[in-house]
Amino acid sequence: MRSLLPDSPSVAVIGAGAVGAFYGSMLQRYGLPVAYMSATMAKTKYLEVRSPWANYTLPVQCFASSQQMEPADIVIVSIKALPDLDPFALVRPVLKKNGILLLLQNGINQEERYAAHFRRSALRPVILGGLAFTCINRISAKRIDHIDYGMVKIGALHAEQNPLALQVTELFQSAGIQSEFVPKLRRARYEKLLWNAAYNTLSVLLQADTDPIVSNAQTADLSLRIMREIQAVAAAENIKLSNATLRDMLDRTKRMRPYKTSMLLDYEAGRPMEIDIILGEPIRMARKRKIEVPHLQMAHDLLQFYDRRSAIRRETHSKKKS
Ligand SMILES: NC(=O)C1=CN([C@@H]2O[C@H](COP(=O)(O)OP(=O)(O)OC[C@H]3O[C@@H](n4cnc5c(N)ncnc54)[C@H](OP(=O)(O)O)[C@@H]3O)[C@@H](O)[C@H]2O)C=CC1
Ligand SMILES: CC(C)(CO)C(=O)C(=O)O
């Protein structure tokens, strides 16, 4: 098939946290020109990566603001999906006309939000979604630890863009990243949401990694009840997630090494959690369709309480420092 991508596409990573810096650096190591936006890493000249795939150190071009960066062929968005963060202002300066926007984030409805935002813009990006099944930590402004897993599933928001999503997947594979093309992105988003809604949530509420949650009969069953509510929301848009799929999520989690979810890592570090994009969005969809989602609602409200408490601690801490 004719390549829909330039020979050596340039890449801009918006949000060089754990995920953005790791996958960006793998693409750079493969030979692509990559620039990174990160306030934390603005002064970083060399990035050290530890990974079961390879250990390496690379010179990196980091910018505190995307306004200092050149437009790129592929823009990877890997900032946290938080409600009070305007991502469009960060992304716009690095977008080329009809360029590729790849959202490497958790949650649901993100691609649709970007499409709505750019609908009337002359930039008209092609919107792709990437689901990262991985465990990565940014240890410092200079060091990324990829601990386990690593698969990225890539698909397009609109099916007619699937050939491009496939070529981006192949580019990731060529760069040594485990990657898989998904022809139905929305379905894949829902499947990942099953896991995130259940285990990210419970990991924070129970202060536990996945192992004790799935080993305990009550909390394992609770995780299934949470997943059933996501299943009902998906069914309302004709996406059928079978009971066997839910059961399989639980069984696979039982077989996984004990895993600390990204939400638990955020909570422990006192950072804001992605509650809205993982629970708030499905709750709003359920409300519109008159579907009862009591578990999602309760988990959402409890997590909001924790999140607010962390925010107050952050405010108090920064007042003390100034
Ligand atoms: N880490 C993991 O293993 C996994 C993560 N994910 C998902 O990937 C996405 C990225 O997560 P991850 O890399 O872990 O997150 P990190 O916390 O490591 O990085 C988040 C990035 O977002 C940026 N950011 C946060 N707040 C703002 C703000 N207000 N303005 C501008 N930039 C901001 C940070 O900036 P700065 O660089 O300046 O700190 C950083 O670059 C999330 O949606 C997460 O759920 C999914 C699966 C696994
Ligand atoms: C599915 C998983 C565990 C990534 O591998 C995740 O999305 C997270 O930790 O938030």
Side-chain angles (χ1 to χ4, degrees), residues 264-279:
L264 180 57
L265 291 174
D266 284 339
Y267 177 70
E268 287 180 347
R271 293 189 295 253
M273 295 181 279
E274 292 176 304
I275 304 167
D276 195 66
I277 203 71
I278 290 175
L279 295 170

Side-chain angles (χ1 to χ4, degrees), residues 286-305:
R287 205 171 286 147
K288 268 194 216 148
R289 287 159 179 148
K290 304 208 170 2
I291 301 167
E292 298 284 324
V293 287
H295 292 87
L296 297 185
Q297 187 68 58
M298 185 170 185
H300 173 272
D301 296 350
L302 293 174
L303 288 174
Q304 285 291 359
F305 176 87

Side-chain angles (χ1 to χ4, degrees), residues 8 17 29 44 65-66 72 86 93 107 114 143 151 180-182 190-191 200 203 206 224 239 253 280 292 297 306 318:
S8 177
R29 189 166 172 264
T44 302
S65 153
S66 55
D86 171 11
Y114 278 76
R143 159 108 181 255
M151 161 69 77
E180 192 180 297
F181 164 67
V182 284
Y190 266 116
E191 279 171 0
N200 289 37
S203 69
L206 302 172
L224 280 176
I239 297 180
T253 312
E292 298 284 324
Q297 187 68 58
Y306 279 17
S318 70

Side-chain angles (χ1 to χ4, degrees), residues 43-271:
K43 294 202 173 102
T44 302
K45 300 280 179 244
Y46 288 87
L47 184 68
E48 190 189 338
V49 176
R50 300 271 169 88
S51 160
W53 295 349
N55 295 328
Y56 53 90
T57 301
L58 287 176
V60 283
Q61 264 202 305
C62 300
F63 300 88
S65 153
S66 55
Q67 296 194 352
Q68 303 160 321
M69 296 164 72
E70 295 291 324
D73 298 309
I74 303 177
V75 176
I76 296 179
V77 180
S78 42
I79 43 177
K80 279 273 156 60
L82 299 169
D84 52 1
L85 199 169
D86 171 11
F88 310 118
L90 300 177
V91 161
R92 206 171 295 113
V94 288
L95 270 182
K96 282 189 178 172
K97 192 166 189 284
N98 303 126
I100 297 171
L101 195 50
L102 171 64
L103 309 181
L104 261 188
Q105 295 174 308
N106 270 336
I108 193 133
N109 289 344
Q110 281 292 86
E111 287 83 14
E112 289 76 5
R113 260 185 83 206
Y114 278 76
H117 180 85
F118 286 109
R119 195 167 20 238
R120 283 194 197 87
S121 147
L123 291 165
R124 282 273 175 152
V126 175
I127 297 175
L128 307 183
L131 293 82
F133 295 80
T134 191
C135 179
I136 312 172
N137 287 336
R138 185 171 66 186
I139 302 294
S140 74
K142 295 178 186 166
R143 159 108 181 255
I144 301 292
D145 280 10
H146 168 215
I147 297 152
D148 217 339
Y149 312 102
M151 161 69 77
V152 182
K153 295 190 180 178
I154 297 176
L157 171 63
H158 300 297
E160 66 270 22
Q161 307 287 4
N162 272 347
L164 195 52
L166 178 61
Q167 289 192 0
V168 172
T169 310
E170 286 166 355
L171 182 71
F172 270 54
Q173 289 166 346
S174 305
I177 300 167
Q178 266 180 31
S179 195
E180 192 180 297
F181 164 67
V182 284
K184 292 186 178 163
L185 177 64
R186 183 112 182 128
R187 184 185 174 81
R189 280 261 174 235
Y190 266 116
E191 279 171 0
K192 189 152 200 276
L193 189 64
L194 287 175
W195 200 95
N196 290 131
Y199 298 109
N200 289 37
T201 298
L202 290 177
S203 69
V204 177
L205 295 177
L206 302 172
Q207 302 287 290
D209 63 39
T210 46
D211 194 43
I213 300 173
V214 292
S215 310
N216 174 291
Q218 268 81 28
T219 49
D221 190 62
L222 179 56
S223 74
L224 280 176
R225 279 182 274 143
I226 295 176
M227 287 193 243
R228 264 180 225 128
E229 294 183 356
I230 298 291
Q231 181 189 35
V233 176
E237 50 179 285
N238 280 328
I239 297 180
K240 187 158 169 35
L241 305 168
S242 66
N243 289 337
T245 304
L246 273 55
R247 188 80 234 167
D248 187 52
M249 286 280 164
L250 172 61
D251 291 341
R252 272 196 286 140
T253 312
K254 282 185 180 167
R255 290 194 301 270
M256 258 164 64
R257 270 179 293 259
Y259 182 81
K260 258 194 188 187
T261 68
S262 55
M263 195 179 265
L264 180 57
L265 291 174
D266 284 339
Y267 177 70
E268 287 180 347
R271 293 189 295 253

